Amino acid sequence: VLFKSEKEDWATPPDVFAALDKEFDFQLDACASEWNRKCSFYYDKVDNALSRPWHPFGSVFLNPPYGRGMGVWIAKARAEATKGATVVVLIPSRTDTRWFHDYIYEQAEVRYLQGRLKFERPDGPRDAATFPSMVVIMRPTDRTKKEEPKMTTAHFYTRLESNVKVPIDVELDSLNMFVGGNKQGKTAGIEAAILAQTGKLPGLVHGKDITGFVPKGDRKITARLSNGTISTEYSANAGKKLPSSPVQSDDLRELLDGCEHVIPSVSMRDLLNRNAAKTKEAIMRRFGKIKTIAVPKALDEEQQVMWIEAIASVADIPPEDDAKETIAAAVKKRSAAEILADMQGWLDSTQRRANTAANAKENEVNAVQDI
């Protein structure tokens, strides 16, 4: 099997991974199993990593199957690097292959390893490979052979005008937060900005559903971003055929030619999603590099105790008398982002237990009242 380069379920040599992890601080093992995973977050066969996003995790380790389909994994790694991840790939040194020339040659950093690696197996023995290996580092800043990447950090838009759900006319800065109570337009502001750029709204299956956001009394939905010289606007009449894309100014079309232009945003709805994978992706995208966990100031004393208890439980440590000491001990054992990602499940289960106990007490009271 080793001679045929058909590596399917063997583990990366620990010393090789440790050296790379020290340099890149990996957040995701993109192709692993329970026994050979190298990161707390990993995709296995059930997860189908080729259909899942890697870039939200920032720094990704990949040791793919070494069979004929390896080119698909290399193409996926290149795509995720283009979207913002640094993907480090451990593979056989096959410089004569098509995938090497399509996605690696003159596009990524390549480190050729001396000697032959010894891969670990589930049953314990270590087998020396019959082929040389290389480490490929794919970064978001890599240049492809086909074209120079276009990117800009310019402050694009200074104004947002929209009637998506509610009327909005606001001045924009380089970083914007939508704050307010229920039904005051927080989500509507983000959706309007996305609609103005893409002509689509997240979560809508059918494009015609967009007209469902037309406010009562209006016959047309409009979302517009501008800064005086460039603009993009999506406008549609209710009941009429919808445009497939927004109308962009000539200056904007020239600027975005060949680029995918997306507003970076994170929603509390994603952070608190009951879907574990989505929660972890959202947290890693936003908080992947944090070093500690704060206690939210808005919590009362009872809630603060529960917050610290959750941190200690998720990190599998006994809680200290002092909250700061508990947090310090927890982040030494697990990363802060990993703890945050798993706290949601702990809080959910704690709430369910509390609800069950409350329902039992209520049943007891009702029984006494009946008597």
Side-chain angles (χ1 to χ4, degrees), residues 16-28:
V16 174
F17 178 81
L20 293 171
D21 188 43
K22 184 177 181 180
E23 179 178 355
F24 295 99
D25 188 19
F26 296 117
Q27 304 293 335
L28 172 70

Side-chain angles (χ1 to χ4, degrees), residues 61-270:
F61 176 71
L62 174 65
N63 184 7
Y66 289 174
R68 293 181 180 275
M70 188 160 55
V72 177
W73 289 91
I74 304 304
K76 172 69 171 176
R78 167 57 64 201
E80 294 297 324
T82 301
K83 294 177 181 178
T86 295
V87 184
V88 179
V89 190
L90 175 63
I91 48 177
S93 180
R94 297 283 184 258
T95 59
D96 58 338
T97 58
R98 183 172 182 173
W99 50 258
F100 177 82
H101 287 269
D102 283 349
Y103 304 110
I104 297 174
Y105 181 61
E106 293 185 345
Q107 301 174 67
E109 178 185 349
V110 180
R111 302 176 185 177
Y112 298 99
L113 302 183
Q114 185 176 8
R116 304 293 170 92
L117 297 182
K118 289 187 176 182
F119 292 92
E120 296 188 330
R121 303 186 64 183
D123 55 4
R126 304 179 72 194
D127 288 328
T130 59
F131 48 81
S133 298
M134 63 183 177
V135 173
V136 177
I137 298 98
M138 297 184 179
R139 296 182 172 88
T141 54
D142 287 343
R143 295 181 177 181
T144 67
K145 293 193 300 181
K146 297 179 181 178
E147 60 180 88
E148 293 287 327
K150 291 187 177 182
M151 61 182 67
T152 177
T153 57
H155 176 192
F156 267 17
Y157 306 116
T158 58
R159 192 174 195 84
L160 170 63
E161 304 162 84
S162 167
N163 70 341
V164 175
K165 298 182 182 177
V166 296
I168 295 175
D169 188 352
V170 294
E171 298 291 333
L172 299 177
D173 209 324
S174 53
L175 175 65
N176 305 278
M177 295 182 67
F178 292 86
V179 180
N182 289 335
K183 300 186 183 302
Q184 291 188 0
K186 301 186 301 297
T187 304
I190 296 174
E191 289 175 337
I194 295 173
L195 183 61
Q197 292 187 109
T198 67
K200 301 179 179 64
L201 280 179
L204 293 187
V205 178
H206 303 291
K208 60 184 177 57
D209 295 337
I210 289 175
T211 57
F213 292 116
V214 177
K216 188 176 181 179
D218 286 350
R219 303 188 62 181
K220 183 168 73 171
I221 189 169
T222 302
R224 186 173 192 270
L225 286 162
S226 60
N227 75 353
T229 59
I230 64 175
S231 65
T232 178
E233 178 178 347
Y234 184 88
S235 181
N237 291 315
K240 299 290 183 66
K241 184 178 179 180
L242 300 180
S244 60
S245 61
V247 176
Q248 298 175 340
S249 64
D250 292 339
D251 290 342
L252 181 61
R253 278 201 303 272
E254 182 179 348
L255 184 64
L256 299 182
D257 182 30
C259 298
E260 182 181 0
H261 186 218
V262 178
I263 284 186
S265 64
V266 62
S267 166
M268 287 301 295
R269 201 160 35 198
D270 293 333

